[in-house]
Structure formats: structure tokens, C-alpha cells
Amino acid sequence: MTLSNRSALLSLVLICLVVYLPGLTALPPFDQDEALFAQASRQMLETGDFVQIRFQEEARNRKPALSYWLQAASAWASGTPDAIWPYRVPSIAGLTLATLLTFWIGLRFFDGSTAFVGAALFATSINAVTQAHMARADAVLIPLVVAAQGALGAAYLHARERRPSPRQLWLVFWIAQGLAILAKGPILILTSALTILALGAIDRDWRWLASLRPMAGAGLAVAIAAPWFVATTLAGSGNFVGDAIATDLLPKLLGVDQQHGGPPGYYLATGLVMAWPATLVLGLAVPLAWRGRGNPAVRFCLAWIVPTWIFYELIPTKLPHYTLPTYPALVLLAAAALSSVSQRATPGRQWWSIIAWVLVGVGAAAFALAVPWLIDGAPTLWSFGAAAAAAGGVFVGLGLLRRGDWRRASIVALVGGSLWSGLMMQVVLPNADGLWLSRRLAEAATRAGAAVPGGAPPVAVSGYGEPSLVFLLGTRTRLIGGAEAADHIVDNPGAIAAVSDDTAPEFLARMEARQRRVHRFDAVSGFDYVWGVWRNLTLYRLEPPPDTH
């Protein structure tokens, strides 16, 4: 590795730390996936069972164990398993590694400058920044996708250039496949298979795949993934594969799962948002891809992007981060186009991506002001700062584009976007207090003397059951109906019940039926962003029975 490549890698690590560390400790746990992952990982530490995945008493047979193991290891090493930030460390590490692997691919497909710019575009995209801040399987999967696709692409390029492939490529490809199965099932298999099918259909040549040793490699991948699947079945968690297919995979393929849907074209629209600030240069990639489609590196990138993108457009369930595994190829094409732009090039046919970049930037500025205003009643100084970073980047960047200076405009776009995301994650979102109902409720329970988390007796919650609340209040938190909450505080002296407005009549009726009185000592309210509604919860304690003497 040359000195310039080492400097580039160090610079990329620094960029990742600048955009991924803000908000690490400040942001409360997100609902629903992050809190589900973090809570299940913490329960592994609490029980010492690293085979079965559970959320409270329920088996969580949806995603395999690798992400949970990494999160549990991080929480154990940190010594603070009740804080959310250790569970996010594997996500930060995953996105940082994916960024460095994008640079590695760029070096082999294009040149050092393209590799660095492409990796920086990937690292600072809204999609990557968002995933780095959430303790989920996607951030663990993405570096495995980039590693496997990079090895696949290197094997393809060596075959096209009639050079022997390095012997370690097949190991990289299949080890990544095995680990990816343990992280998120068959997602990487799908991406690689679609890439191979596209290249085979175009080239009508499959011989280059022999360098990846398909039979031995598939056996290696199975050897990596299979032991846990066998262990979890023997441990009594049921048929994990059957449950995962029935409850997670098929609902996404056959219908709109958990209200996450959208029409074909959804990812073309959301991709312009989620790739920001790299949106500015995406328009440059289209003519380059068309003109250079005969170039093996460009062809491979297209085979990586197009079939996978189409597949996700066609399935009914849609979430903006699903197409993140295609971003490394997309940004490398954009970076290659950017490096070929002349010093004073006019926007020309790239106007659509410039307009999209401007609109998303203006939207980001408006979002920074709107969140604290709508949630807590007024924008903050920090929200004005975030808005200024987004809008200022657009304003200065447009001035540079008018002079044809694409390179400096891209730098300004990245700096403005990075400042915006850092301020949003570190101060604007965490300080929008009404957005974090679970945090408010946990703080109220702490003020009331409840041991949070752990402790006895557990808090009972009725009418609000997001997993972030279980993480903040402890594994023994009771998520039950109004009548059951009444029984809980009667049968457990000193217990607290948090009851929503819509379950309060049932709660109070049961208390009356049991001839006991309750004391209302606090109330919290906030915006439940999972369901898009405001919720009010009242905290109750049991009044002692009257003295009969």
C-alpha cells in the first residue's frame, strides 16, 4: 500500500468518525428495530444464552444471531449494558469498514482519486449516516456486501483482462457470504446472484466463476452459518428458518409488511433523498455508465446496481435503506464521472440531479427547523445552525456550479451535508424532547423511585408498548392491558402503572372492582412516531388501605 493510499484510508476513517460519532450517546433508542435488537442483545448478557434470541419472553425468530453477538460483545466490553450507545458501536464499525472497502473496490476498478471520492460520497450519504446510528443488522450486513461484491468484481475483471485471480478472492467472497447469512439471511446471496446473472446474460460467459471455487466456497459458507441454526433449533427456539420465512421474508415479498409500502419508482424518489449530498453528482454517472458500458468495471457496477434495484422496486414492502447495498457501485460511477468532468463544465443534462440536490437541501433545512417547532413549539439555536449548514451548502455550491467548478461544489456539498447531519444527530433530534415518549416515561418512573432498569417490582405500562420503553425501563417491564395494570399494582406493593388515556377507563374500573384507590402522581405526553399519534400517559401508585383501627 502506497503512502497516498494510507493517507486516504486515514482520511476516510476521520470522515466516518466526524459524521457517525455525533449522536452516539445523545440519541435515545429508536423504535422499533433498534430497540428490539438492543434489548434482545442485552438479554443475551442477562441470561448467558447466546443461542436463543428473545425479546422479553418472546422468541425473536426474524434475523439470525451475528448482529446480536456483536452488540452484546460491545455492551459487555463497555461495562454499560443498560446504555444504548454500546449497541450502536458495531453499526459505526460496520459503516466505517464498508467505506474503506468501497475505497478498496475503487482502487481496483478505477483509480485512487475516484476511489477516495466515491468512498467519501458513500460515507456521508443520509442512508449511511442513518444506519450508522442504529443498532440493527443492516449496518453489520453492508460491509459484508461490499467485501463479497468487491471480490466478485475483482474475479470478473481479472477474467476479462485474462489475468489469474488472486487465490484469496474466493475466500473473501464465501466467508462474507457465510457471515452475511448469520447477519441477515439470504440478502447478500440475492445481490451476488443477480449480479452474476446479469453479467452472464450480457457476456454469455460463465467460465470466470470457476476462480471462485463454487463447490468448495458454498461448503465453507454453510460451515460458517449452519452451526448456529442447528444450535438454536436444538435449544428449543423452534424452526428458526421456517419462522423467519413465514414471519419476515414472505410478508415482505407477498404484501406490504408493517405498513411499509410504496409503488414502483419508490426508490428512484427516495434514493435522491437518501444519497444526499451525493445527489449532486448522480446525474454525472448516467452518461458515463452509458458510454462506458463496455468497460468491464463499469459493466460490473451496472450489473451490481440495476437488477438489485429493480428487484426492490418490484416487491411490495419498501424501506429507504433496502437499496443501500447498491450505493458503493453507484457512488463509484458518480466519482469516476466527476473526475472526468472538465474544469469549467456546464451542468448540461445533469440538471435533474442538481435540482434534486437543491430540493433535498432545502428540505433538510426546513426539517431541522420543523422538528423542534412541531414537537416542542419553537425552533432552537441549534436547529437554525443545522438549517444554515444545509442551505449554506446549497447556496455556495450553486455559485460554484455556475462557474462550472464541479469539484469544489462537491466538496462544499459534502461539508454542508456532514455539518447538517452532525448537528441533527447530536443536538437537534435529542433535544426535541416530545419526540422521545419512552425517555420521558422512564425519567418520570426514575423520579418516582422505580429502579430503572431492573429492580423490583417492575413498571406496568398500558396503552403504549414500544420496545424502546422495555430497553429503558428494564427487561421485566410489563406491557399489559388496563385491567392487568390495575391487578399488577394491587398485587405488587410499591409498583407503578403508566396508563394511557384510552386504557384508563378499564384501569380505573378494575381498581374500583377491587375496592382499592390509586394516587395519580405524574403524567407524561409525547409523539409516538411509530404510529403518528400523540399519546398521554398517567402514572399511578396504589394508595394504602385505610386504617381500620
Side-chain angles (χ1 to χ4, degrees):
M1 182 183 295
T2 66
L3 181 61
S4 61
N5 287 344
R6 290 195 188 97
S7 299
L9 287 172
L10 290 174
S11 299
L12 288 170
V13 170
L14 180 60
I15 290 171
C16 289
L17 294 178
V18 167
V19 294
Y20 298 157
L21 287 183
L24 173 65
T25 60
L27 284 166
F30 286 97
D31 283 310
Q32 293 179 331
D33 280 359
E34 179 182 53
L36 287 167
F37 270 95
Q39 175 60 27
S41 300
R42 184 172 66 181
Q43 286 183 218
M44 286 184 169
L45 294 175
E46 292 173 346
T47 63
D49 183 353
F50 295 91
V51 173
Q52 300 181 87
I53 303 168
R54 293 189 176 278
F55 178 82
Q56 295 188 302
E57 298 302 319
E58 179 183 355
R60 184 162 163 76
N61 291 346
R62 295 176 71 90
K63 301 292 188 297
L66 180 59
S67 302
Y68 301 97
W69 290 341
L70 294 174
Q71 290 175 16
S74 176
W76 173 82
S78 74
T80 56
D82 294 331
I84 187 60
W85 70 265
Y87 301 92
R88 291 171 173 159
V89 169
S91 296
I92 292 176
L95 268 297
T96 302
L97 181 57
T99 298
L100 300 182
L101 289 170
T102 300
F103 177 76
W104 168 65
I105 294 174
L107 286 177
R108 280 149 183 78
F109 285 16
F110 300 103
D111 55 59
S113 175
T114 297
F116 179 81
V117 173
L121 291 171
F122 172 81
T124 56
S125 67
I126 289 179
N127 212 339
V129 172
T130 302
Q131 294 308 308
H133 284 84
M134 293 188 183
R136 306 189 337 174
D138 301 274
V140 174
L141 174 69
I142 184 62
L144 299 173
V145 171
V146 185
Q149 290 293 99
L152 182 66
Y156 177 74
L157 263 62
H158 278 88
R160 299 280 76 78
E161 297 164 359
R162 301 186 183 279
R163 293 188 294 134
S165 294
R167 284 185 291 180
Q168 68 270 23
L169 282 182
W170 78 278
L171 287 172
V172 173
F173 180 78
W174 289 107
I175 289 173
Q177 295 287 348
L179 292 174
I181 293 171
L182 275 177
K184 206 177 177 184
I187 301 301
L188 176 52
I189 295 174
L190 172 70
T191 301
S192 297
L194 290 173
T195 304
I196 291 169
L197 289 172
L199 291 170
I202 295 170
D203 294 341
R204 300 184 183 278
D205 179 14
W206 307 91
R207 292 171 296 176
W208 61 278
L209 290 171
S211 65
L212 293 175
R213 304 186 188 182
M215 296 300 293
L220 176 60
V222 170
I224 291 171
W228 175 80
F229 286 95
V230 173
T232 192
T233 300
L234 294 177
S237 292
N239 181 1
F240 183 94
V241 174
D243 290 348
I245 291 173
T247 63
D248 193 38
L249 182 60
L250 286 181
K252 290 179 171 64
L253 296 178
L254 301 179
V256 176
D257 187 36
Q258 298 179 346
Q259 299 180 323
H260 301 308
Y266 171 92
Y267 290 112
L268 288 177
T270 60
L272 295 172
V273 177
M274 300 304 290
W276 190 85
T279 310
L280 173 64
V281 294
L282 292 183
L284 298 173
V286 176
L288 170 80
W290 178 252
R291 292 193 307 268
R293 61 191 183 277
N295 179 292
V298 174
R299 178 171 293 187
F300 181 83
C301 286
L302 289 173
W304 179 351
I305 298 166
V306 176
T308 300
W309 198 287
I310 291 174
F311 172 82
Y312 284 119
E313 289 283 16
L314 292 177
I315 63 174
T317 298
K318 292 179 170 64
L319 284 168
H321 67 273
Y322 280 2
T323 53
L324 182 62
T326 68
Y327 278 35
L330 187 62
V331 295
L332 285 174
L333 288 178
L338 181 63
S339 66
S340 66
V341 170
S342 62
Q343 187 63 25
R344 292 288 180 256
T346 57
R349 295 178 181 176
Q350 288 74 46
W351 58 268
W352 61 269
S353 65
I354 296 174
I355 291 175
W357 169 69
V358 170
L359 291 176
V360 176
V362 172
F367 182 71
L369 297 173
V371 168
W373 188 10
L374 296 176
I375 297 297
D376 293 331
T380 65
L381 181 62
W382 290 113
S383 65
F384 280 108
V394 168
F395 180 77
V396 176
L398 281 176
L400 292 168
L401 285 175
R402 286 214 306 266
R403 301 203 299 267
D405 196 340
W406 279 88
R407 292 175 179 81
R408 285 193 177 89
S410 300
I411 293 171
V412 167
L414 290 185
V415 171
S418 299
L419 285 173
W420 175 84
S421 63
L423 290 171
M424 291 297 296
M425 295 296 184
Q426 181 62 35
V427 284
V428 177
L429 291 177
N431 289 333
D433 196 43
L435 196 61
W436 310 106
L437 179 55
S438 292
R439 182 176 69 180
R440 280 186 165 183
L441 185 53
E443 290 172 347
T446 303
R447 289 193 300 269
V452 182
V459 177
V461 185
S462 172
Y464 175 67
E466 296 303 335
S468 61
L469 188 61
V470 176
F471 183 84
L472 293 172
L473 287 174
T475 302
R476 297 171 61 245
T477 303
R478 302 288 306 280
L479 305 178
I480 50 184
E484 292 83 356
D487 291 336
H488 176 76
I489 64 172
V490 171
D491 298 336
N492 295 275
I496 293 171
V499 182
S500 68
D501 287 351
D502 53 345
T503 61
E506 179 187 354
F507 171 82
L508 296 173
R510 177 62 66 92
M511 294 302 304
E512 184 176 356
R514 297 198 62 171
Q515 299 182 334
R516 300 300 299 271
R517 299 179 62 184
V518 288
H519 167 59
R520 169 181 169 167
F521 65 89
D522 206 346
V524 296
S525 62
F527 184 64
D528 183 354
Y529 52 84
V530 174
W531 302 102
V533 296
W534 285 90
R535 296 194 188 277
N536 302 303
L537 290 105
T538 303
L539 278 72
Y540 294 95
R541 249 200 197 104
L542 192 67
E543 287 190 357
D547 190 352
T548 57
H549 298 289

